[in-house]
Amino acid sequence: MPIKILVTAKRVEDYESKIKVNAQGNGIVLEGLKYKINPFDEIGVEEALRLVAKHGGGEVVVASVGTKDVHEQLRHALAMGATRAIWVNHAGPLDQMTVAGCLQKLIEKEKPDLAILGKQAIDDDQNQVGQYLAEWLGWSQATFASKEESLESEAEKSKTPALQLSADAKTLTVIREVDGGLETLECSMPCVVTTDLRLNQPRYASLPGIMKAKSKPIEEHTPATLGVDATPKITVTKMEHPPARKAGIKVPDVATLMDKLKNEAKVI
Amino acid sequence: MNFALTDDLKALQDTARKFAKEVMRPKAAHFDETEQFPREIIQQAWELGLMNMTIPQAHGGIELSHLAQAVIAEELAWGCSGMATSMIANDLALLPIVLSGTKEQKEKFLKPFTEKFLLASFGLTEPGAGSDVAGMRCTARREGDFYVLNGQKQWITNGEYADQYTIFCTTDSTKRHKGIMCLVVQGRPRGFTVGKHEHKMGQRASNTVTLTFEDVKVPVENRIGQEGEGFIVAMNTLDNSRPLTAMFAVGNARAAMEHAIDYSKQRQQFGKPIAEFQGVQFMIADMASEIHAARLLTYESAWRLDAGERNTLVSSYAKRFAADMAMKATTDAVQIFGGYGYSREYPVEKLMRDAKLIQIYEGTSQVQRLVIARELLKGS
């Protein structure tokens, strides 16, 4: 039975870029920055492609909200193998409610069986959209879908995947990361899943994939045509660099260390 | 006039760059040291479509523009120019078929490369015929529906592992370049032997061997173009591949410069990072500006091919300038690293050894100068 999965592709600053706070202290310096698909979203695209392949076909629809620049990230997901893309054209600041609102409306239109989102975007690390979305849709949710080991060792690859769909596509079993270990949830479909870092290692966009992506359709919407109020409910008032770490010190012996931990750091 | 890469080119560059960084570079020192053939890495490149970039779409390929190939070649060489040479060797060997093969020959000799991981070798150079291509001694004698091939080919990339060989030979060596012909040899027919792997100074991950033909029978339908057209086929092929070789120099030099910049900021002498000394700064400034110049020159030579123009002159400018530039840039990078640069524990001496080959293969820097001078001095 073919399944349909909606995934996301947020445009975020490349984690290798050097991020600087601007002179006004209310944002970052945009000049010279490089952009990538949010790595957690990329993991979501990969997992969706694997689920569809395993389940005998279907469709992976990728969505992103932003200016036309997000086409780059949508094309990346299409090059990885997503079927088609939806672009919500919006300039200006975005908050989690606007994004979740747009995704809710898209999901009501598209009616996918499942939505897979990154657990958070690496730009402002909010970790809220997936949860809002599930609540507003009234869907079940499983956040932080993960695996036991990183880097997909041979041992890990032979184990059961973290996301398993039942043959009738009615339930999804999800292994998720929790404090101090893993938890397995059984969700009734449709549901929202957010991905954690160790879920999988996304494939490369192959050259034939990139060439094919050029002819895959990107459908355009705006918050207004979707009926979403895009006025931000959150304003950034101040942004600052974390304080620089102080240099470490060397202690001559254990006794001094114990003394410093007790009396200076006051941690024991 | 527009110097920016298009979104499509950037997407291709991203994949090549990621592959070079995550797959090639971590293994570059290992394959340099052991001189083993990095078959798995090359196969992975094939799976991603980073090989056989010139095969036409009509025959199952992706038929990338020359500019796109050049952009990709820089990234692959940044990862490891030895591995990159083995990857691009397929395109070099397939180009004569792409440029001069019949429809049936393209279907037979190109399409399998899009369906399966296969390697191809380009055989032009001989023990006694390097820059003087027309001096070749490898002969082909017509016998009914076959040619009978005799002779030797030297410095053949991937020769030990290739599934198909594009071999240049002569039907009459007294005719010099007018006697040359191009034949495709598939598999290992009787009388065809592959010599031992040559131990090289650099680019040691690429396999290099001598091929020997003793009464090897090759079907007449494997002839690319006509008898006597082989020299033109070879020169057209080299016009097409020269931008890629020039880009190898750019990728190699860029790697050296990045290492040199990182190191010069960390290395302290006389109480400050050596990057603060003008002597070091000037070397880095020269590297950066010359790498940029070589890249733009090469982009132009690729762009001319895409525009359907003859690019002999500009591609010789590019190959000559880029190869000599990479030799200088990598030598300076070793200088900036000082004693550490001369040690195999650090990555720059490999880049210097690798760069040397780019001044030699696919037309030495001297041959490029000859080509340039001839182009400028001929006719009107």
Side-chain angles (χ1 to χ4, degrees):
Chain A
M1 196 170 79
I3 52 163
K4 182 168 170 180
I5 304 177
L6 186 120
V7 295
T8 48
K10 187 176 183 186
R11 179 178 172 86
V12 297
E13 289 76 22
D14 185 351
Y15 56 86
E16 286 183 352
S17 303
K18 283 201 179 113
I19 308 287
K20 283 184 200 143
V21 176
N22 65 18
Q24 300 82 40
N26 61 359
I28 58 168
V29 180
L30 299 177
E31 201 197 341
L33 284 184
K34 284 193 177 150
Y35 291 87
K36 285 254 150 65
I37 181 174
N38 176 32
F40 292 110
D41 284 345
E42 197 179 25
I43 291 169
V45 176
E46 175 65 37
E47 199 65 23
L49 292 170
R50 289 187 192 186
L51 270 176
V52 164
K54 205 173 169 192
H55 213 72
E59 215 186 0
V60 176
V61 182
V62 56
S64 192
V65 186
T67 64
K68 200 170 181 186
D69 290 340
V70 305
H71 279 221
E72 198 186 319
Q73 283 62 46
L74 290 172
R75 293 267 178 231
H76 178 80
L78 293 172
M80 285 173 73
T83 325
R84 59 194 172 86
I86 300 175
W87 166 43
V88 182
N89 183 355
H90 176 72
L94 279 171
D95 63 21
Q96 55 271 36
M97 277 77 101
T98 307
V99 176
C102 291
L103 292 176
Q104 183 197 357
K105 295 296 177 188
L106 289 179
I107 285 173
E108 285 167 3
K109 271 167 59 76
E110 290 283 336
K111 301 189 175 49
D113 302 289
L114 172 68
I116 306 179
L117 285 67
K119 69 168 181 178
Q120 66 200 57
I122 61 160
D123 46 9
D124 53 10
D125 290 320
Q126 294 272 359
N127 188 345
Q128 297 188 32
V129 172
Q131 292 88 328
Y132 272 110
L133 184 61
E135 174 63 23
W136 292 348
L137 288 165
W139 286 13
S140 45
Q141 63 170 304
T143 51
F144 314 136
S146 185
K147 274 193 186 182
E148 212 163 321
E149 268 177 61
S150 62
L151 300 177
E152 300 200 279
S153 61
E154 282 307 315
E156 182 62 23
K157 267 192 227 170
S158 62
K159 282 186 206 159
T160 39
L163 262 65
Q164 283 194 88
L165 196 57
S166 63
D168 59 3
K170 291 254 168 63
T171 56
L172 182 74
T173 310
V174 182
I175 300 173
R176 59 187 297 265
E177 204 167 305
V178 291
D179 285 346
L182 296 171
E183 179 184 63
T184 306
L185 291 184
E186 196 176 274
C187 303
S188 52
M189 296 271 275
C191 68
V192 174
V193 172
T194 72
T195 60
D196 214 325
L197 190 65
R198 280 175 277 271
L199 183 59
N200 62 45
Q201 248 189 341
R203 70 193 67 188
Y204 286 72
S206 73
L207 270 57
I210 293 168
M211 305 303 274
K212 268 186 220 145
K214 288 202 278 187
S215 54
K216 288 181 180 175
I218 297 183
E219 186 184 322
E220 184 182 343
H221 292 278
T222 64
T225 60
L226 292 172
V228 175
D229 175 14
T231 321
K233 289 156 197 75
I234 292 174
T235 358
V236 177
T237 51
K238 192 180 169 197
M239 205 176 267
E240 57 191 327
H241 284 285
R245 275 180 66 172
K246 284 185 198 144
I249 51 159
K250 276 186 185 167
V251 290
D253 50 40
V254 177
T256 326
L257 175 68
M258 293 302 284
D259 177 63
K260 283 195 182 290
L261 287 175
K262 232 176 234 168
N263 302 318
E264 238 172 75
K266 296 190 168 58
V267 289
I268 51 171
Chain B
M1 217 41 196
N2 183 353
F3 287 98
L5 295 186
T6 61
D7 286 349
D8 290 345
L9 288 170
K10 276 193 244 166
L12 297 169
Q13 185 183 48
D14 270 356
T15 288
R17 185 169 285 183
K18 196 164 176 240
F19 181 75
K21 185 177 169 185
E22 293 173 4
V23 180
M24 296 171 78
R25 189 174 258 198
K27 294 282 182 191
H30 168 78
F31 286 103
D32 174 56
E33 187 67 32
T34 60
E35 292 187 82
Q36 285 167 350
F37 190 62
R39 194 181 179 90
E40 281 178 16
I41 293 176
I42 294 174
Q43 178 156 3
Q44 226 178 317
W46 174 78
E47 283 160 10
L48 283 175
L50 292 166
M51 286 171 69
N52 310 323
M53 300 184 284
T54 50
I55 297 181
Q57 285 178 9
H59 302 283
I62 51 172
E63 198 178 350
L64 287 186
S65 69
H66 293 277
L67 189 55
Q69 293 176 44
V71 167
I72 289 165
E74 176 182 343
E75 302 307 322
L76 298 181
W78 179 92
C80 172
S81 55
M83 292 181 197
T85 292
S86 272
M87 290 170 188
I88 297 287
N90 265 30
D91 275 307
L92 183 63
L94 299 180
L95 263 170
I97 306 161
V98 172
L99 296 171
S100 307
T102 63
K103 208 171 152 194
E104 292 72 32
Q105 287 175 328
K106 288 178 186 173
E107 199 62 13
K108 187 173 173 193
F109 300 131
L110 299 178
K111 197 165 188 184
F113 285 79
T114 68
E115 294 162 341
K116 208 173 145 201
F117 173 57
L118 296 169
L119 291 169
S121 285
F122 177 81
L124 181 65
T125 303
E126 295 185 4
S131 295
D132 179 18
V133 172
M136 71 170 57
R137 307 286 289 272
C138 184
T139 60
R141 186 177 75 239
R142 177 90 184 240
E143 277 186 12
D145 292 337
F146 291 89
Y147 285 103
V148 179
L149 201 55
N150 277 289
Q152 270 200 327
K153 291 288 162 187
Q154 198 161 25
W155 316 124
I156 305 307
T157 303
N158 293 353
E160 196 173 339
Y161 305 100
D163 304 280
Q164 181 174 298
Y165 300 80
T166 308
I167 301 297
F168 292 85
C169 50
T170 175
T171 49
D172 181 354
S173 61
T174 61
K175 286 190 186 165
R176 299 264 310 156
H177 57 271
K178 286 184 181 140
I180 296 174
M181 166 175 77
C182 175
L183 291 178
V184 175
V185 177
Q186 288 190 300
R188 303 288 170 91
R190 181 195 289 266
F192 175 32
T193 47
V194 174
K196 66 170 178 53
H197 174 50
E198 302 285 351
H199 298 292
K200 305 192 298 296
M201 173 185 184
Q203 300 207 7
R204 287 151 58 98
S206 80
N207 170 260
T208 313
V209 295
T210 301
L211 308 177
T212 306
F213 301 92
E214 285 173 297
D215 291 332
V216 174
K217 285 173 88 179
V218 183
V220 168
E221 65 255 31
N222 286 19
R223 187 187 66 218
I224 305 299
Q226 299 302 314
E227 284 184 16
E229 285 181 3
F231 186 77
I232 303 290
V233 172
M235 291 307 119
N236 286 342
T237 296
L238 294 175
D239 278 352
N240 274 260
S241 67
R242 220 175 279 125
L244 303 185
T245 320
M247 250 358 191
F248 280 5
V250 173
N252 171 287
R254 189 182 104 215
M257 178 183 74
E258 289 171 4
H259 285 306
I261 289 175
D262 287 348
Y263 183 80
S264 67
K265 289 201 261 186
Q266 288 161 18
R267 172 73 170 169
Q268 302 263 340
Q269 288 292 279
F270 305 101
K272 55 183 177 182
I274 60 168
E276 289 179 22
F277 294 103
Q278 242 179 18
V280 171
Q281 289 176 355
F282 284 6
M283 281 195 265
I284 290 172
D286 284 355
M287 284 181 205
S289 46
E290 284 166 24
I291 288 168
H292 195 68
R295 184 185 292 119
L296 291 184
L297 202 45
T298 313
Y299 280 171
E300 190 198 327
S301 75
W303 174 83
R304 282 187 187 277
L305 280 175
D306 286 329
E309 290 179 31
R310 191 164 165 271
N311 77 333
T312 308
L313 182 64
V314 183
S315 76
S316 283
Y317 286 163
K319 163 73 166 65
R320 201 277 315 149
F321 181 77
D324 293 350
M325 174 284 289
M327 196 66 245
K328 176 166 172 279
T330 53
T331 307
D332 283 351
V334 170
Q335 193 68 24
I336 288 172
F337 272 72
Y340 295 102
Y342 202 66
S343 156
R344 287 212 176 178
E345 295 293 308
Y346 287 77
V348 284
E349 59 83 33
K350 170 187 184 286
L351 298 172
M352 184 177 164
R353 287 185 282 112
D354 288 351
K356 188 65 218 175
L357 185 51
I358 308 176
Q359 288 182 305
I360 297 171
Y361 66 12
E362 291 200 41
T364 62
S365 292
Q366 288 68 35
V367 161
Q368 303 305 335
R369 285 178 172 87
L370 275 181
V371 170
I372 292 166
R374 276 183 198 151
E375 288 283 319
L376 295 176
L377 298 171
K378 79 179 175 191
S380 57

